[in-house]
Amino acid sequence: AVALAPTLRTALRTFERFRFLISDQLHAGFVDDGVTTRFEVLHPVDVVDQGAASEMALMIATRVIRAVMGAEDALAAVRFAHRPRHPDEERIARQFSDALGVPVTFGQGFNGLVFHTDSLDVPLQLRTSLPPPSSASSTRSWRSTPSGGQRRCAMRSKRAR
């Protein structure tokens, strides 16, 4: 349902409304300052896992927003409440920023995606196939299938072999 929303704001509101399907302890909501709008998420496991689940969730959300929904320029920044688990915070923030293509900061008091407010109401262009990952460090390889040009990921789980 989120991927079929007409705008990014509608998609995020849908996620906010049905977040209990992921967890009844997940909190999500908007904070708008005019120029940017934060979509903040909070879950009690953040304290237990030192932010690992939040990192994964926001990275996946970033990929879905850009690759599936086509809102490539909507994201302004990513913020994490926790400190990095590695002592070189600047290097970790730089690696996250390089991977996500926007500034990433830690120790912000909230986990969330920061959007350019005016991009939230632009009609989305749902994509029917994912582009290959842009990161040069990706371990996945994309190739055409014999059935006519559809790309598929060459990485498979042990169960699929």
Side-chain angles (χ1 to χ4, degrees):
V2 169
L4 299 176
T7 67
L8 189 51
R9 184 183 307 275
T10 305
L12 294 169
R13 290 262 184 238
T14 301
F15 176 86
E16 180 183 25
R17 181 176 175 202
F18 293 104
R19 67 188 181 275
F20 68 89
L21 294 172
I22 296 170
S23 171
D24 62 352
Q25 297 179 356
L26 178 63
H27 301 278
F30 288 95
V31 177
D32 190 343
D33 72 8
V35 176
T36 61
T37 300
R38 298 189 316 246
F39 187 72
E40 297 182 3
V41 292
L42 174 67
H43 192 280
V45 78
D46 293 336
V47 175
V48 176
D49 72 1
Q50 299 175 333
S54 292
E55 290 174 7
M56 181 181 64
L58 293 180
M59 291 182 88
I60 291 170
T62 299
R63 176 82 168 137
V64 169
I65 288 165
R66 288 186 171 150
V68 177
M69 298 175 161
E72 295 172 6
D73 298 324
L75 196 61
V78 176
R79 305 283 185 249
F80 293 110
H82 64 280
R83 305 302 290 173
R85 291 174 299 284
H86 188 279
D88 189 349
E89 184 172 331
E90 287 183 29
R91 182 173 66 98
I92 298 302
R94 193 170 45 254
Q95 288 175 337
F96 272 77
S97 294
D98 289 347
L100 296 176
V102 294
V104 174
T105 52
F106 291 86
Q108 298 299 299
F110 69 94
N111 296 310
L113 303 172
V114 181
F115 296 97
H116 302 286
T117 300
D118 58 354
S119 70
L120 292 174
D121 297 311
V122 173
L124 294 173
Q125 299 297 318
L126 181 65
R127 295 182 177 163
T128 57
S129 65
L130 293 177
S134 60
S135 172
S137 63
S138 175
T139 59
R140 293 172 276 180
S141 63
W142 294 83
R143 61 175 179 240
S144 296
T145 62
S147 62
Q150 290 278 0
R151 288 188 296 213
R152 66 181 174 93
C153 183
M155 188 168 81
R156 298 183 305 179
S157 70
K158 290 180 182 180
R159 202 181 292 166
R161 292 181 188 167

